[in-house]
């Protein structure tokens, strides 16, 4: 004669405790399943004479849904960031051998015998314009006169023999009637190679005659 299976109190407690133990083993990496496991354990262990209010379960379900939404958003943003970085690297490698316009931020190293190709974009015609050249001490050492210009791109040369080797800062000063303003200068140079940091930092372009500059300072691909 077969006997019905009997579950002892100790066995019942072990089975009841196993979901909680599983949640505890997961530590801080709680998933939606972990929330459900804890909720089931809470229902099993509630006081039958004073059961938990149903609205509390609804609140817990809402919290579980919010956590899962945040996790999904986090994963999506991570994937988007990785994808964007891969696109940037692909674009950077395709620049090798091409001439680009880089915004001259801060000091630019100039060597004797070197001729840099300067560019400035005017959004409207100007009566007069010039490029002010400052040395490392902030002293004006040269003025490159551009004269009156129409709207569009103006080109000029920076002569390293005239300036001498050193680090220089450039500033464009333009006038139209009673208005005067300053703006940034750009330098045209050929991309020789690309430096992609292993830590995911800023991609650097190695430019002929200029050295390394951030890809984010690039304003135009000219050829």
């Amino acid at each position: 004669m077969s006997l019905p299976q009997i579950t002892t109190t100790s066995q019942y407690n072990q089975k009841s405790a196993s979901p909680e133990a599983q949640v505890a083993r997961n530590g801080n990496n709680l998933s939606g399943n972990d929330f459900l496991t804890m909720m089931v354990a809470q229902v099993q262990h509630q006081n039958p004479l004073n059961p938990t209010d149903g609205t509390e379960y609804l609140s817990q379900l809402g919290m579980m849904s919010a956590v899962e939404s945040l996790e999904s958003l986090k994963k999506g943003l991570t994937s988007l960031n990785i994808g964007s970085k891969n696109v940037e690297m692909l674009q950077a490698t395709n620049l090798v051998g091409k001439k680009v316009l880089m915004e001259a931020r801060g000091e630019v190293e100039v060597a004797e015998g070197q001729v840099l190709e300067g560019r400035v974009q005017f959004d409207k015609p100007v009566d007069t314009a010039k490029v002010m050249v400052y040395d490392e001490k902030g002293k004006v050492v040269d003025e490159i006169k551009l004269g009156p210009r129409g709207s569009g791109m103006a080109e000029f040369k920076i002569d390293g023999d005239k300036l001498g080797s050193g680090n220089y800062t450039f500033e464009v000063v333009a006038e139209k009637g009673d208005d005067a303003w300053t703006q940034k200068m750009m330098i045209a140079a050929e991309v020789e190679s690309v430096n992609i940091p292993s830590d995911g930092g800023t991609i650097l372009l190695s430019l002929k005659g200029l050295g390394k500059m951030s890809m984010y300072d690039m304003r135009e691909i000219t050829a």
Side-chain angles (χ1 to χ4, degrees):
M1 180 179 66
S2 61
L3 296 176
Q5 182 177 357
I6 300 175
T7 302
T8 64
T9 303
S10 61
Q11 291 174 327
Y12 178 80
N13 290 336
Q14 290 175 357
K15 291 182 180 180
S16 300
S18 60
E20 295 173 335
Q22 179 180 356
V23 172
R25 285 195 299 270
N26 289 339
N28 294 327
N29 299 321
L30 298 180
S31 65
N33 290 335
D34 292 326
F35 270 103
L36 290 176
T37 301
M38 290 189 293
M39 186 176 297
V40 170
Q42 183 179 2
V43 172
Q44 291 176 340
H45 293 83
Q46 68 178 335
N47 185 352
L49 299 179
N50 185 24
T52 304
D53 188 358
T55 57
E56 184 174 340
Y57 292 126
L58 292 177
S59 175
Q60 293 177 1
L61 285 172
M63 182 169 59
M64 178 186 69
S65 178
V67 169
E68 289 182 334
S69 297
L70 289 174
E71 284 297 321
S72 298
L73 179 61
K74 181 180 177 181
K75 292 179 180 178
L77 290 175
T78 300
S79 299
L80 180 62
N81 183 52
I82 294 174
S84 175
K85 200 66 180 178
N86 289 337
V87 170
E88 284 184 2
M89 290 189 293
L90 180 61
Q91 290 176 335
T93 54
N94 287 335
L95 292 173
V96 176
K98 296 182 179 179
K99 183 175 286 189
V100 296
L101 290 181
M102 306 295 295
E103 184 172 314
R105 293 176 179 268
E107 294 183 340
V108 176
E109 185 177 356
V110 179
E112 291 184 6
Q114 182 181 24
V115 177
L116 299 180
E117 300 180 32
R119 302 283 192 277
V120 58
Q121 176 70 39
F122 293 113
D123 295 330
K124 60 183 179 180
V126 298
D127 295 334
T128 181
K130 58 185 177 182
V131 180
M132 307 297 295
V133 185
Y134 305 89
D135 64 11
E136 297 179 67
K137 297 180 180 180
K139 179 183 177 182
V140 177
V141 294
D142 193 18
E143 290 185 11
I144 304 173
K145 298 185 183 299
L146 303 179
R149 293 279 182 169
S151 59
M153 188 74 72
E155 302 180 5
F156 56 93
K157 303 291 186 182
I158 301 171
D159 189 350
D161 286 335
K162 182 179 179 182
L163 292 176
S165 298
N167 294 322
Y168 298 91
T169 305
F170 301 87
E171 182 180 51
V172 179
V173 180
E175 297 180 8
K176 176 68 174 177
D178 295 331
D179 295 330
W181 65 92
T182 62
Q183 59 187 85
K184 295 292 185 180
M185 181 193 77
M186 295 178 288
I187 298 177
E190 180 182 335
V191 180
E192 294 184 316
S193 62
V194 175
N195 181 17
I196 302 176
S198 58
D199 60 358
T202 302
I203 297 175
L204 300 177
L205 305 180
S206 294
L207 304 164
K208 187 175 182 179
L210 281 180
K212 294 179 180 179
M213 295 183 71
S214 169
M215 180 179 173
Y216 299 119
D217 289 334
M218 184 179 65
R219 294 295 173 262
E220 185 178 325
I221 303 172
T222 61

